[in-house]
Amino acid sequence: MNQELIINNKHYKKAENLESLNMFKGQLYETIVTTQSNDQVKNAAPIGVICKDSNHVVIHLDNCVHTHLNIMENGELIVNITKHPLIFTYSTLGELEEEYFGEFNEFPMIKDSLGFFKAHVVKTIEKKRENDYNNGIGNVVTCEVEDIYISDNNEIVPLNRAMNAVIESLVYYCRFDHKYKDKQDIIWTHMKELNRVCQKVGNEKEKKSMKLIIDKLKENHIYLE
């Protein structure tokens, strides 16, 4: 494997372990996971990734979503490190458009990612997920890291508050369902504060992401007072 890589005119260098991506044992990181079906249909989804050690990660997957189905089908995925708020937003609200995808060894990845790694499943445990918003069956998946690449300009830095606000708002969006009608007031209280933070310290893309989320809720006849 070459030590250097060029994807869509962006240069990457090969790294030895997850610490090179500033991913450390026991920590959870918000990432975009790209997968594809055996029929070569691409998918991207925001997934929290737990760093188990320098060469293994753990992810929790809900049943009946494209990412889960693809990973169960062929056991392959790429974990992408990005700060792009619209990629997080579009991949949560619907399907990510082709323009955001690149390719690594004939597998989809996010073309402008700050770093990424290919991984394959080594262990899967079916587990009931029980919390305030989810009581379904899912899988706890352990993956071994194969190839790690980092952008050669070393742009990997922590997310700011506005980006975190977008991520948290997307979590609440996914939880906002008629099944949790009795929790809507609590969710809206958090959404109002997240929107305030984003409007105060966010850049143009982060504010656009927040507007997309709120507009989507309004389409479902749910309003932010």
Side-chain angles (χ1 to χ4, degrees):
M1 180 67 67
N2 293 331
Q3 298 300 305
E4 294 187 0
L5 188 69
I6 301 176
I7 300 176
N8 295 94
N9 297 317
K10 194 176 184 70
H11 291 255
Y12 293 89
K13 58 185 178 182
K14 195 168 186 181
E16 293 298 322
N17 51 48
L18 293 175
E19 284 86 349
S20 302
L21 298 175
N22 287 322
M23 297 181 69
F24 301 100
K25 181 178 179 180
Q27 297 296 304
L28 185 148
Y29 300 91
E30 300 296 339
T31 71
I32 298 293
V33 170
T34 46
T35 60
Q36 67 180 2
S37 69
N38 287 343
D39 294 327
Q40 311 302 307
V41 178
K42 301 174 184 176
N43 180 252
I47 301 287
V49 172
I50 302 169
C51 186
K52 184 177 181 181
D53 57 42
S54 60
N55 288 290
H56 293 83
V57 296
V58 175
I59 56 178
H60 293 254
L61 297 173
D62 293 325
N63 285 346
C64 301
V65 296
H66 289 149
T67 297
H68 176 270
L69 295 175
N70 290 346
I71 290 175
M72 293 300 102
E73 188 172 76
N74 55 51
E76 302 291 330
L77 64 150
I78 285 182
V79 176
N80 301 270
I81 311 301
T82 179
K83 290 177 62 181
H84 198 312
L86 289 176
I87 291 177
F88 276 97
T89 300
Y90 289 143
S91 61
T92 299
L93 301 184
E95 298 297 329
L96 191 65
E97 295 181 0
E98 182 67 28
E99 66 181 280
Y100 292 103
F101 285 102
E103 188 176 282
F104 172 72
N105 289 349
E106 301 182 345
F107 202 90
M109 48 86 70
I110 301 301
K111 68 180 181 182
D112 292 324
S113 62
L114 304 177
F116 67 91
F117 59 88
K118 181 79 182 292
H120 65 274
V121 175
V122 295
K123 184 178 180 180
T124 301
I125 300 174
E126 188 175 90
K127 185 176 181 180
K128 186 173 183 179
R129 301 189 67 183
E130 296 181 349
N131 54 48
D132 290 342
Y133 306 99
N134 191 329
N135 58 4
I137 298 295
N139 290 98
V140 180
V141 180
T142 301
C143 303
E144 183 176 6
V145 175
E146 298 174 356
D147 297 297
I148 306 171
Y149 282 90
I150 182 172
S151 172
D152 64 358
N153 54 9
N154 296 313
E155 292 177 340
I156 297 180
V157 295
L159 300 175
N160 62 28
R161 287 186 71 201
M163 184 62 193
N164 290 339
V166 170
I167 296 297
E168 288 300 308
S169 296
L170 291 169
V171 171
Y172 286 124
Y173 169 82
C174 292
R175 293 172 174 174
F176 217 122
D177 188 272
H178 68 277
K179 293 184 295 184
Y180 307 112
K181 187 174 182 180
D182 60 330
K183 295 182 173 64
Q184 288 186 6
D185 288 344
I186 297 173
I187 293 175
W188 271 128
T189 297
H190 289 294
M191 282 289 294
K192 290 177 185 177
E193 174 60 16
L194 293 169
N195 186 51
R196 183 195 69 79
V197 170
C198 193
Q199 297 306 316
K200 182 178 180 180
V201 302
N203 61 29
E204 181 180 352
K205 291 178 180 178
E206 287 151 354
K207 291 178 181 178
K208 181 178 179 180
S209 294
M210 186 66 72
K211 184 177 185 302
L212 285 168
I213 298 165
I214 292 174
D215 287 348
K216 193 70 172 181
L217 288 174
K218 288 181 179 179
E219 287 180 17
N220 295 326
H221 309 292
I222 302 169
Y223 294 92
L224 180 63
E225 298 295 337

